């Protein structure tokens, strides 16, 4: 008799294509389809932010509570673009203006309550199921917003296994211990082995302590996290779980049904074996931004404009790149200082530097399709997805040698160019004494400009990059194996 598919409840604050502010949404939205053939059916619990219930259309109530941290709440089940969603409808927490985390550039002041509520509901559903008789075999919690799911389950004495995935340890969900009661967390467990984090509470740490297992999104980042430089104060918890064999890195993939230049509705179709129309996409992108045809490569940058992403390194290195014949188009939003700096750069080189401030999904597709290079000079990068989109769309990644960037891009050294294993350009390799700085980025950009001048070598490298394995198949299998171990 065939075994019934196992059930996983994925709990997260965002999920593409319904709502996305970054890579977390891509991963949460892509995993279910990758896991289904491996015998795992997913339901995704996320907040019904303003407008989402209207966006998904028909939905049914499958869970309710008269008092979810200060107001009535329901969970509504809906299917949306192949995803099985559970939307937490709690108007006092989620029906408000602004984005999922911020309004007018400031965090919602009650974020700790909002996401504790999400986690609380995740834990209730894990223990008691929904009215449509669905109960998960396992919970997969993502980042600090779902960090309390394992804790609520632990405090309730539940044995439902949990996996916490850390997408970015820099965001930790920190609040004061005076909130413990309000969030139905036990004050007796406020100590450094559990909820306490330097006198405060961290939901990410709580999850890391209580989850059955912890993963992060690349093998290199899993190693880096055990060091003070990358662990953001949580390196001790990381090290202890790693030492017990309870934490590993599983590399992200990309959803190749969405991110496929041969079928992407936002671009003129092309592929590794028929790359001709890549040039058309490039021309269109230059035209869209009013840029001249450069002699050198056209680079694209799609990113949150933050310190993590090395935007300051770009500001320092790009003038020399442009003067060497390159052009660049930047799409992003974030810190005001970086927005200003990029604005100045675009004003200084109006025919070579294009800038679009804001968030624009279709434009991001056109940029990967039109670019010769995608620049990712991150100071740290748990996995990174933009370099994977770049590989797939023939925009060769120029990356800092850190985290998942290190695991996914093979630097174009003479040896790798010769044996055909190169897929992009890397700088700042710490094992070679390199540093992630503007000098290193500038040098890598210089190498890209030089190689671009050798048309045949460039096209060979590009063809190779476009064929690099970036889909979910290998990593979904690793998740499925881990899930199976946990429910055994
Ligand atoms: N202005 C804009 N307009 C349109 N699209 C934009 C955009 N700015 C960014 N994006 C898109 O957002 C995503 C960013 O994903 P990343 O994984 O590169 O970084 P992020 O830091 O968000 O994710 C975190 O989680 C992911 C998932 O695990 C890890 O890969 C990563 O290292 C970690 O920092 C990409 O899909 C990109 O195209």
């Amino acid at each position: 008799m065939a075994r019934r598919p196992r059930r996983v409840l994925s709990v997260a604050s965002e999920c593409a294509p319904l709502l996305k502010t970054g890579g977390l949404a891509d991963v949460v939205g892509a995993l279910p389809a990758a896991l289904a053939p491996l015998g795992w059916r997913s339901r995704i619990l996320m907040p019904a932010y303003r407008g989402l219930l209207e966006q998904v259309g028909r939905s049914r109530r499958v869970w309710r509570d008269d008092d979810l941290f200060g107001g009535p709440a329901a969970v509504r089940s809906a299917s949306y673009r192949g995803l099985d969603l559970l939307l937490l409808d709690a108007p006092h927490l989620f029906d408000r203006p602004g984005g999922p985390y911020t309004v007018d550039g400031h965090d919602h002041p009650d974020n700790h309550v909002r996401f504790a509520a999400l986690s609380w509901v995740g834990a209730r559903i894990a223990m008691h199921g929904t009215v449509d008789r669905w109960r998960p075999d396992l919970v997969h919690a993502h980042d600090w917003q779902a960090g309390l799911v394992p804790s609520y389950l632990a405090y309730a004495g539940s044995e439902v296994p949990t996996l916490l995935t850390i997408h970015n340890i820099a965001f930790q969900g920190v609040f004061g211990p005076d909130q413990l009661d309000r969030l139905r967390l036990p004050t007796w467990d406020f100590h450094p082995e559990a909820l306490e984090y330097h006198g405060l509470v961290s939901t990410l740490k709580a999850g890391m302590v209580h989850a059955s297992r912890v993963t992060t999104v690349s093998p290199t980042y899993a190693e880096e996290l055990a060091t003070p430089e990358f662990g953001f104060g949580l390196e001790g918890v990381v090290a202890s779980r790693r030492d017990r064999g309870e934490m590993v890195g599983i590399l992200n993939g990309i959803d190749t049904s969405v991110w496929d230049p041969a079928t992407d509705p936002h671009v003129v179709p092309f592929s590794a074996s028929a790359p001709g129309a890549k040039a058309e996409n490039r021309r269109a992108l230059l035209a869209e931004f009013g840029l001249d045809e450069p002699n050198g490569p056209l680079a694209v940058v799609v990113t949150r404009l933050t310190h993590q992403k090395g935007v300051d390194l770009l500001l320092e290195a790009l003038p020399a790149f442009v003067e060497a014949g390159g052009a660049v188009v930047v799409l992003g939003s974030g810190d005001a200082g970086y927005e200003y700096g990029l604005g100045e750069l675009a004003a200084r080189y109006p025919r070579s530097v294009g800038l679009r401030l804001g968030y624009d999904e279709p434009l991001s597709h056109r940029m990967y399709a039109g670019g010769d290079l995608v620049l990712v000079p991150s100071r740290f990068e748990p996995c990174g997805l933009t370099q994977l989109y770049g590989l797939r769309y023939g925009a060769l990644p120029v990356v800092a040698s850190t985290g998942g960037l290190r695991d996914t891009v093979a630097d174009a050294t003479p040896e790798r160019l010769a044996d055909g294993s190169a897929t992009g350009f890397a700088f700042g390799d710490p094992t070679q004494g390199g540093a992630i700085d503007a000098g290193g980025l500038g040098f890598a950009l210089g190498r890209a400009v030089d190689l671009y001048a050798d048309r045949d070598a460039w096209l060979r490298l590009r063809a190779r990059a476009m064929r690099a394995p970036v889909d979910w198949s290998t990593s979904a299998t690793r998740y499925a194996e881990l899930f199976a171990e946990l429910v055994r």
Side-chain angles (χ1 to χ4, degrees), residues 20 23 26 167 252 304 309 358 360 368 381-385 389:
K20 166 172 165 183
D26 287 335
H167 296 264
N252 286 336
R304 293 183 286 113
K309 301 294 183 179
D360 188 335
Y368 298 122
E381 195 60 75
C383 179
L385 296 174
Y389 300 137

Side-chain angles (χ1 to χ4, degrees), residues 20-24 26-27 167-168 217 252 259 302-304 308-309 331-333 358-361 364 368 381-386 389:
K20 166 172 165 183
T21 74
L24 168 65
D26 287 335
V27 172
H167 296 264
N168 192 337
V217 291
N252 286 336
W259 294 94
V302 181
T303 188
R304 293 183 286 113
Q308 174 195 345
K309 301 294 183 179
L331 166 64
S333 63
Y359 189 91
D360 188 335
E361 188 78 20
S364 74
Y368 298 122
E381 195 60 75
C383 179
L385 296 174
T386 61
Y389 300 137

Side-chain angles (χ1 to χ4, degrees), residues 307-310 376-381 399-400 402 405 427 436:
H307 184 73
Q308 174 195 345
K309 301 294 183 179
V376 198
S378 308
R379 288 201 163 72
F380 66 93
E381 195 60 75
V399 303
T402 184
L405 300 174
F427 68 96
I436 297 173

Side-chain angles (χ1 to χ4, degrees), residues 9-131:
L9 175 66
S10 179
V11 184
S13 57
E14 48 184 275
C15 172
L18 185 62
L19 180 117
K20 166 172 165 183
T21 74
L24 168 65
D26 287 335
V27 172
V28 173
L31 261 176
L35 286 167
L38 304 171
W40 284 90
R41 293 284 155 77
S42 312
R43 269 180 133 173
I44 299 165
L45 174 68
M46 66 178 282
Y49 304 109
R50 177 168 287 182
L52 291 196
L53 285 170
E54 293 72 26
Q55 202 177 322
V56 298
R58 221 152 49 90
S59 65
R60 287 160 311 115
R61 192 173 73 189
V62 295
W63 186 91
R64 56 171 292 200
D65 185 351
D66 291 336
D67 176 24
L68 179 66
F69 299 145
V75 170
R76 304 194 65 90
S77 160
S79 106
Y80 183 74
R81 313 258 187 107
L83 295 170
D84 197 347
L85 299 175
L86 295 172
L87 292 166
L88 174 55
D89 182 20
H92 63 297
L93 301 172
F94 301 117
D95 183 13
R96 57 174 75 173
Y101 318 118
T102 59
V103 58
D104 296 332
H106 298 282
D107 284 355
H108 295 289
D110 56 346
N111 271 346
H112 59 296
V113 185
R114 300 167 75 228
F115 294 107
L118 176 71
S119 301
W120 175 267
V121 174
R124 296 295 113 181
I125 291 176
M127 288 187 292
H128 309 302
T130 49
V131 298

Side-chain angles (χ1 to χ4, degrees), residues 258 263-269 281 361-367 369 393:
V258 176
T263 56
D264 187 330
H266 303 297
V267 313
V268 188
N281 288 292
E361 188 78 20
L363 174 58
S364 74
H365 288 241
R366 297 198 295 280
M367 288 171 66
Y393 282 65

Side-chain angles (χ1 to χ4, degrees), residues 15 25 28 34 37 82 108 119 122 124 142 151 154 214 220 222 231 245-246 261 265 294 335 366 384 407 412 455 485:
C15 172
V28 173
H108 295 289
S119 301
R124 296 295 113 181
H142 298 270
S151 304
V214 182
T220 295
E246 295 167 348
D335 299 356
R366 297 198 295 280
D407 295 334
R455 195 71 193 149
E485 231 174 273

Side-chain angles (χ1 to χ4, degrees), residues 198-210:
H198 301 295
L200 300 168
V201 181
S202 156
T203 63
L204 185 69
K205 175 177 173 181
M208 292 170 70
V209 170
H210 288 125

